[in-house]
């Protein structure tokens, strides 16, 4: 309880400070490698010629930097985090050591995103986001043959090893997989191993523009998601966050308005208050749901604040 009150007080202070112009990130995204074991249609990470892989020492420095800026939530990203390794003091460190270190520094909540092609039964993360771009052949069409079956099995193993852990799958909707959205929601609701689903839309980085979903289809899907959420499907996106993802007049409603709430450290070590969408000039067509959720946090939308507290704050 004391820790909950301390965290709540920090958040109030953070917001008030922001109103007075002293804005600081609350969440950090740290990319620790850009090596991957898949070649997904919608992602260009695998195309990087010489993948960069950070050392534990470098990640530690970056974590401390983010914490000192005021950030209290960290998401590790890649590449595939379960490929990351570093030798330290005669021992091989893995992503679990990175997560432990983030907790030791004082981050309240540590999340990782994985394609679940390698086992993650003993993960130390507070939350795991598993990328799932549809079910069965729909997922395999985006991520490669056999990936759905391997993902299912690794999720099952994780939940058997850590029954209290929560698994959220993360679907990126594009113009190939959108027809399977309803089936995917049914699958998640029925699964004994998956707790919830978060939905993003394809962001058209170069080489992947052809997957961009037409705005009118995207807006219809947003209405459908809001309806399904009201009907009890376990969708993590909040109604306010989803509304902020609508496209009107050629741009996403939340376009780059509160994205400063997250800071980024990329795999080449560069530090930025902006996501890579900004440097690639795709903010108007951004599909990352985090943009809508951050906008709604900043506007103090009660549904988003409540969901954020439930997801991110530990008692
Ligand atoms: C870059 S991946 C890295 C983590 C891990 N290898 C995986 O596949 O989950 C992180 C997340 O970004 C999503 N992603 C990749 N390209 C995207 C795009 N163009 N638009 C929206 N999301 C994208 C992936 O589906 C995944 O959920």
């Amino acid at each position: 309880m004391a820790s909950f009150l301390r965290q709540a007080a920090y958040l109030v202070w953070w917001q008030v400070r922001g109103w007075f112009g002293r804005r600081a990130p609350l969440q950090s995204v740290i990319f620790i490698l850009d090596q991957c074991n898949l070649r997904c249609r919608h992602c260009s990470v695998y195309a990087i010629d010489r993948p960069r892989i950070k050392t534990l020492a470098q990640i530690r420095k970056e974590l401390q930097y983010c914490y000192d800026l005021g950030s209290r939530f960290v998401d590790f990203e890649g590449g595939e985090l379960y490929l990351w390794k570093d030798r330290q003091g005669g021992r091989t460190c893995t992503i679990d050591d990175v997560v432990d270190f983030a907790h030791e520094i004082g981050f309240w909540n540590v999340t990782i995103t994985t394609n679940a092609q390698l086992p993650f039964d003993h993960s130390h993360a507070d939350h795991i986001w598993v990328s799932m771009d549809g079910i069965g052949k729909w997922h395999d069409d985006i991520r490669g043959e056999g990936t759905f079956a391997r993902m299912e099995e690794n999720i099952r193993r994780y939940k058997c090893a850590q029954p209290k852990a929560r698994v959220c799958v993360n679907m990126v909707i594009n113009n190939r997989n959108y027809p399977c959205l309803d089936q995917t929601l049914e699958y998640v609701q029925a699964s004994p191993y998956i707790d919830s689903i978060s939905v993003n839309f394809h962001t058209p980085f170069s080489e992947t523009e052809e997957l961009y979903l037409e705005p009118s289809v995207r807006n219809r899907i947003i209405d459908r998601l809001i309806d399904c959420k009201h009907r009890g499907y376990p969708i993590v996106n909040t109604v306010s966050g989803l509304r902020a993802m609508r496209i009107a007049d050629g741009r996403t409603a939340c376009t780059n308005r509160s994205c400063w709430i997250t800071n980024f450290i990329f795999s080449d070590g560069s530090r930025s208050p902006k996501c890579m969408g900004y440097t690639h000039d795709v903010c108007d067509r951004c599909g990352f749901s985090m943009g809508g959720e951050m906008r709604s946090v900043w506007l103090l939308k009660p549904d988003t604040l409540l969901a954020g507290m439930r997801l991110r704050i530990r008692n």
Side-chain angles (χ1 to χ4, degrees), residues 31 35-38 40 42-45 76-81 113-116 129-133 142-143 170-173 200-205 208 211 276 287-288:
F31 290 79
Q35 184 183 28
C36 199
N37 48 0
L38 293 182
C40 305
H42 61 301
C43 182
S44 33
V45 169
F76 291 109
E77 276 290 352
E80 175 48 43
L81 298 177
T113 307
T114 177
N115 57 31
W129 303 92
V130 174
S131 300
M132 187 178 107
D133 297 318
I142 306 282
R143 295 187 160 253
N170 176 38
M171 178 175 184
V172 179
I173 302 184
N200 292 271
F201 293 94
H202 180 68
T203 304
F205 291 105
T208 68
L211 290 172
M276 69 257 255
F288 291 108

Side-chain angles (χ1 to χ4, degrees), residues 34-73:
D34 43 28
Q35 184 183 28
C36 199
N37 48 0
L38 293 182
R39 297 170 68 87
C40 305
R41 282 183 195 274
H42 61 301
C43 182
S44 33
V45 169
Y46 70 80
I48 292 169
D49 275 351
R50 286 206 214 142
R52 289 156 296 205
I53 303 173
K54 290 180 183 173
T55 60
L56 185 62
Q58 182 177 358
I59 300 167
R60 279 180 174 175
K61 268 198 212 129
E62 293 177 348
L63 278 167
Q64 192 64 56
Y65 165 80
C66 294
Y67 188 85
D68 293 345
L69 284 181
S71 176
R72 293 296 178 267
F73 309 113

Side-chain angles (χ1 to χ4, degrees), residues 17-227:
R17 228 169 60 126
W19 285 334
F20 287 97
R22 291 199 50 214
R23 295 182 167 182
L26 196 55
Q27 169 174 285
S28 301
V29 175
I30 302 183
F31 290 79
I32 68 170
L33 80 170
D34 43 28
Q35 184 183 28
C36 199
N37 48 0
L38 293 182
R39 297 170 68 87
C40 305
R41 282 183 195 274
H42 61 301
C43 182
S44 33
V45 169
Y46 70 80
I48 292 169
D49 275 351
R50 286 206 214 142
R52 289 156 296 205
I53 303 173
K54 290 180 183 173
T55 60
L56 185 62
Q58 182 177 358
I59 300 167
R60 279 180 174 175
K61 268 198 212 129
E62 293 177 348
L63 278 167
Q64 192 64 56
Y65 165 80
C66 294
Y67 188 85
D68 293 345
L69 284 181
S71 176
R72 293 296 178 267
F73 309 113
V74 62
D75 294 334
F76 291 109
E77 276 290 352
E80 175 48 43
L81 298 177
Y82 279 90
L83 295 177
W84 184 88
K85 287 190 173 52
D86 189 23
R87 291 287 295 174
Q88 281 280 313
R91 170 176 101 77
T92 303
C93 299
T94 67
I95 183 66
D96 287 334
D97 297 283
V98 175
V99 170
D100 290 348
F101 193 72
H103 282 140
E104 270 167 44
I105 284 191
F107 282 93
W108 303 345
N109 185 280
V110 183
T111 62
I112 62 178
T113 307
T114 177
N115 57 31
Q117 298 303 293
L118 294 167
F120 55 94
D121 324 359
H122 302 294
S123 171
H124 296 184
D126 298 300
H127 283 106
I128 306 254
W129 303 92
V130 174
S131 300
M132 187 178 107
D133 297 318
I135 55 168
K137 67 177 174 46
W138 295 92
H139 176 92
D140 283 9
D141 172 60
I142 306 282
R143 295 187 160 253
E145 212 179 316
T147 54
F148 187 78
R150 263 194 303 278
M151 178 205 70
E152 263 190 324
E153 172 57 12
N154 284 323
I155 291 179
R156 190 193 63 76
R157 284 177 57 168
Y158 173 62
K159 279 297 253 199
C160 292
Q162 302 195 43
K164 286 196 180 142
R166 299 187 66 75
V167 172
C168 178
V169 290
N170 176 38
M171 178 175 184
V172 179
I173 302 184
N174 57 45
N175 66 11
R176 285 179 85 93
N177 66 0
Y178 78 90
C180 80
L181 176 63
D182 283 359
Q183 281 168 275
T184 307
L185 294 177
E186 295 295 343
Y187 171 87
V188 168
Q189 193 172 42
S191 168
Y193 307 117
I194 299 174
D195 299 284
S196 53
I197 178 169
S198 87
V199 174
N200 292 271
F201 293 94
H202 180 68
T203 304
F205 291 105
S206 52
E207 316 290 319
T208 68
E209 284 99 340
E210 77 285 356
L211 290 172
Y212 184 62
L213 197 62
E214 215 201 295
S216 60
V217 181
R218 166 158 158 174
N219 289 347
R220 270 205 311 276
I221 291 176
I222 288 176
D223 292 341
R224 171 104 190 109
L225 286 165
I226 292 174
D227 178 51

Side-chain angles (χ1 to χ4, degrees), residues 251-263:
R251 63 197 323 236
T252 309
C254 61
T255 292
N256 202 9
R257 304 203 33 211
S258 301
C259 296
W260 57 269
I261 293 177
T262 304
N263 74 308

